[in-house]
Amino acid sequence: MTSRLTRRQRRRVSQGIQYAVFLGVLITIGVLADWGRLQNQFAQPDLIRKLFPDIITTALRNTVVYTLSGFVFGLVLGLVVALMRLSSVAPYRWVASIYIELFRGLPALLIFIFVGVAVPLAFPGTEIPGGTYGKVALGLGLVAAAYMAETIRAGIQAVPKGQMEAARSLGFSHARAMVSVIIPQAFRIVIPPLTNELVLLFKDSSLVLFLGVTLEERELTKYGRDLASESANSTPILVAGLCYLIVTVPLSFVVRRLEARADRAR
């Protein structure tokens, strides 16, 4: 009987079975889960009310500031490293390659520990400008720059070589052609992956708790953990997670739209 079905019909039958299995799993979970205990541990209305407005005005604000500062620092450093990777000077390429492999291979947590502990030990009496905000920007930026450098390098190499030749024929120097012609086109190409990197940085900002922060410097994860410990309830952690989703879900949607637009343009 199945052999008489067309390919489209077989695909529909297969999809119907998958949907049925998925729905069955959801129903099973809904029936077997103890929703009362879950609500008691993760959704206490009184605790939720106590979180506002501080979770927005302090925790979420700090998370956004940490993320944007790390992204800007990483973008600038990533552009420099990408240009070094493409340089005709061999030592520049070696330094850029070592940096990229090193910081892409190390966990972000180790980078934060290095920034918070190793730098003050190596340079006694030296303070990173901006205090905690400067440390977070440095930690996030060092990690992000390694990935952004490869993304930007790929974008520069994706620009047709004729663009550089046309610019040079108009009397542009190589440096001016890169700044005025090649790099702007490269950034238009790499906007989607860079936006995706922003989403990843927003989540990695939770590592700031390993630097030791004051009450006014707490980000979402630290804020949620502190209040969960005080109340012996996980509701603050759930609300903090929802605050992350408020930012990351729209950003992920923007990434998909940008990727679709880039595909249509190509």
Side-chain angles (χ1 to χ4, degrees):
M1 180 70 176
T2 304
S3 60
R4 297 179 182 178
L5 297 177
T6 65
R7 181 179 300 177
R8 178 177 297 180
Q9 290 173 331
R10 289 197 297 271
R11 185 170 64 252
R12 288 179 177 176
V13 170
S14 175
Q15 290 176 346
I17 294 174
Q18 294 176 43
Y19 290 142
V21 171
F22 179 71
L23 181 61
V25 170
L26 290 181
I27 293 175
T28 302
I29 293 175
V31 171
L32 297 179
D34 190 337
W35 295 104
R37 293 183 64 182
L38 286 174
Q39 180 181 0
N40 183 63
Q41 184 63 25
F42 289 99
Q44 285 292 326
D46 292 339
L47 280 176
I48 294 176
R49 284 193 292 268
K50 290 180 180 179
L51 295 175
F52 294 90
D54 289 346
I55 196 170
I56 301 297
T57 58
T58 299
L60 181 58
R61 183 203 59 180
N62 285 336
T63 300
V64 172
V65 172
Y66 293 149
T67 302
L68 293 179
S69 60
F71 182 81
V72 171
F73 179 79
L75 185 62
V76 174
L77 181 59
L79 176 59
V80 173
V81 174
L83 294 175
M84 291 174 63
R85 187 74 183 272
L86 294 171
S87 174
S88 58
V89 181
Y92 288 168
R93 296 198 304 272
W94 299 338
V95 172
S97 298
I98 293 172
Y99 174 86
I100 290 171
E101 295 303 325
L102 179 64
F103 283 91
R104 285 201 308 179
L106 290 175
L109 174 59
L110 294 184
I111 305 301
F112 269 81
I113 294 175
F114 171 80
V115 170
V117 179
V119 171
L121 290 176
F123 305 98
T126 301
E127 289 288 337
I128 297 176
T132 300
Y133 293 96
K135 293 178 182 178
V136 176
L138 180 60
L140 287 176
L142 288 174
V143 176
Y147 293 93
M148 290 184 184
E150 286 294 86
T151 300
I152 295 171
R153 178 185 63 83
I156 292 174
Q157 292 179 324
V159 177
K161 293 182 178 180
Q163 296 292 316
M164 174 61 77
E165 295 171 356
R168 295 303 299 273
S169 67
L170 293 174
F172 283 44
S173 65
H174 183 273
R176 184 182 176 190
M178 286 293 295
V179 172
S180 302
V181 179
I182 304 301
I183 292 178
Q185 294 186 60
F187 270 99
R188 283 196 292 270
I189 295 172
V190 300
I191 282 177
L194 288 181
T195 308
N196 192 55
E197 183 63 30
L198 180 62
V199 175
L200 297 177
L201 279 183
F202 188 79
K203 293 183 291 184
D204 285 344
S205 65
S206 61
L207 297 174
V208 69
L209 62 90
F210 291 99
L211 294 177
V213 295
T214 65
L215 293 178
E216 293 301 318
E217 294 171 341
R218 291 181 296 180
E219 41 68 55
L220 284 170
T221 299
K222 175 67 173 171
Y223 185 87
R225 284 187 57 182
D226 287 351
L227 269 69
S229 298
E230 292 174 8
S231 61
N233 190 278
S234 299
T235 298
I237 295 178
L238 176 64
V239 177
L242 294 176
C243 289
Y244 277 105
L245 292 177
I246 290 173
V247 177
T248 57
V249 170
L251 277 178
S252 299
F253 176 75
V254 171
V255 171
R256 291 194 295 270
R257 292 294 300 271
L258 291 174
E259 289 175 344
R261 180 178 297 180
D263 289 340
R264 289 195 299 268
R266 283 195 293 269

